[in-house]
């Protein structure tokens, strides 16, 4: 299946164009060993064919070990798990939003812009002197993902075409 991966970035905190807040939407850190982490990642990624939807325990172990600075966050709406954000900290004070997504039952409810705003605000606070926040999205992801990133102030810096599968 043909896929276009788009990489977007912000190089200054003031580039963020926040969405209106949604009452009851919150972002809180979760321990990386919590069973909720793999459950959320599998459920968020299932509609889009993400690797997290079908990882074996051994594959999860390798994925967790890839980036020891990886942190995990729960998006909740009215105290219910609604999605997840995963950050990777990179040299040069860069923060990658490795994963951002809502659970299928929360997609299309007007939470995406506000959830992304919370995720980006947290990214700029994770370490002192963040120089860049970036992420990538696929043409196989939700069709509103890339437009949401652009509306929040991310700019595309490269794309890659390939095959998924």
């Amino acid at each position: 299946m043909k896929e276009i991966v788009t990489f977007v970035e912000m190089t200054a905190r003031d580039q963020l164009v926040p969405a209106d807040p949604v009452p009851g939407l919150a972002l809180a850190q979760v321990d990386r060993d919590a069973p909720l982490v793999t459950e959320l990642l599998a459920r968020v990624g299932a509609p889009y064919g993400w690797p997290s939807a079908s990882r074996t325990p051994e594959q999860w172990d390798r994925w967790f070990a890839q980036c020891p600075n990886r942190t995990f966050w729960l998006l909740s709406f009215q105290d219910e798990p609604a999605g997840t954000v995963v950050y990777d900290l990179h040299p040069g004070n860069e923060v990658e939003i490795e994963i951002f997504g809502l659970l299928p039952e929360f997609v299309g409810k007007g939470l995406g812009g506000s959830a992304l705003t919370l995720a980006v605000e947290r990214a700029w606070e994770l370490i002192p002197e963040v120089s860049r926040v970036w992420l990538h999205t696929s043409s196989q992801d939700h069709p509103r993902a890339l437009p949401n990133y652009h509306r929040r102030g991310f700019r595309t810096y490269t794309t890659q075409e390939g095959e998924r599968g």
Side-chain angles (χ1 to χ4, degrees), residues 1-139:
M1 176 179 317
K2 185 175 178 174
E3 175 181 49
I4 299 171
V5 177
T6 303
F7 293 80
V8 297
E9 69 181 352
M10 283 184 193
T11 54
R13 186 183 192 128
D14 64 1
Q15 293 171 342
L16 174 63
V17 179
D20 291 335
V22 172
L25 187 64
L27 182 65
Q29 191 165 11
V30 178
D31 184 271
R32 71 186 294 133
D33 296 324
L36 179 65
V37 169
T38 55
E39 176 190 336
L40 284 172
L41 292 171
R43 288 182 57 212
V44 165
Y48 313 109
W50 293 358
S52 60
S54 60
R55 282 190 179 116
T56 66
E58 295 78 22
Q59 289 170 324
W60 278 114
D61 289 343
R62 283 193 298 276
W63 186 78
F64 281 107
Q66 274 179 339
C67 189
N69 292 327
R70 187 169 279 157
T71 63
F72 301 86
W73 298 72
L74 169 68
L75 282 161
S76 61
F77 180 62
Q78 298 176 344
D79 298 323
E80 300 259 345
T84 189
V85 184
V86 177
Y87 300 100
D88 285 353
L89 309 180
H90 294 285
N93 295 327
E94 292 188 2
V95 176
E96 176 185 4
I97 300 176
E98 167 69 18
I99 295 175
F100 167 79
L102 297 172
L103 293 170
E105 59 268 31
F106 289 93
V107 172
K109 300 201 181 279
L111 303 177
S114 184
L116 182 58
T117 297
L118 291 175
V120 173
E121 288 172 342
R122 178 65 61 207
W124 285 106
E125 297 167 354
L126 283 175
I127 55 175
E129 301 178 27
V130 174
S131 63
R132 178 176 175 241
V133 174
W134 62 279
L135 58 87
H136 69 277
T137 189
S138 163
S139 56

